[in-house]
Amino acid sequence: MTSADNVFIDSLPYYDDDLAQHPNLQALVDAEIARELEARPPPNPATDPRLPPQRPLFKHNPLLADELKRVAAKQPLNALDTARYKLPPPPTDPASEVDWQKAVDNARAQLEHQKTRQLNLSLLQTYGPNAWRVHNYLTEAAVVQYEKALERLQDQVTEVNRSRKNSQNQAGNQLSSLENRWKELISAVLQLELANVAMEGEIEDLRQKDAELGNV
């Protein structure tokens, strides 16, 4: 891998227990990780293969998309304009005919609004209980579906962890076997080197003895 963004870091956490056997290694590991993170540029969410692709939120709902942008920008929420629900008198005294007409139109609008509220309350009293029962039934059915989906996902997560553990244990056992074989080969090489040194010493002693006998 030539790019730092394409480097994959993996380990065998189900098999390696060096940190448990040597607690002092934790500080060394943390320092090394911090050094590596400082040297490596932060991952790019748009190109990092370890992250899922970004999905636009509320693509088909511009109102919610604008509200999300407002919250992200930490802008205050525009409060509701309550001035239109009031019944102020004409602003001038004596008021003109136009001012009185505006005040009368506003009063009529408020009256129609109150009538609509009364009609909605009457409809709610008539049909509200059954509507809430249906809503509760649909909500409970949705909860049951979500619980089943959550249970399936938890089973999948458990299966993935079990598969990872088995795979890591197999890889760890193979690595340990290879490491032990390497140690055996290194030990055999060292023993051969020691035997060669001892044999060279014996040969040198025999040569010296042969030389001494030749001079007699």
Side-chain angles (χ1 to χ4, degrees), residues 126-165:
T126 303
Y127 303 104
N130 290 333
W132 274 110
R133 292 188 184 96
V134 173
H135 173 74
N136 291 337
Y137 172 79
L138 295 177
T139 302
E140 292 175 356
V143 168
V144 172
Q145 293 180 356
Y146 293 148
E147 288 178 347
K148 292 181 178 179
L150 177 60
E151 185 177 357
R152 289 195 299 269
L153 290 176
Q154 289 176 343
D155 292 340
Q156 293 177 5
V157 170
T158 301
E159 184 61 29
V160 169
N161 290 333
R162 184 182 295 110
S163 177
R164 290 181 68 243
K165 183 176 182 179

Side-chain angles (χ1 to χ4, degrees), residues 6 21 30 36 54-55 74 79 91 96 99 116 121 125 127 141 155 160-162 170 180 188 194 197 202 208 210 214:
N6 295 328
Q21 296 181 1
D30 293 340
E36 289 289 339
Q54 292 182 332
R55 298 182 181 274
K74 298 182 179 179
S96 63
D99 294 335
T116 302
L121 290 175
Q125 291 178 351
Y127 303 104
D155 292 340
V160 169
N161 290 333
R162 184 182 295 110
Q170 292 177 2
N180 293 332
L194 292 175
V197 171
E202 293 178 0
Q208 291 179 0
D210 184 64

Side-chain angles (χ1 to χ4, degrees), residues 57-58 63-77:
L57 298 178
F58 310 120
L63 293 178
L64 290 179
D66 294 340
E67 181 64 15
L68 182 62
K69 293 179 181 178
R70 181 194 67 79
V71 174
K74 298 182 179 179
Q75 296 179 355
L77 176 65

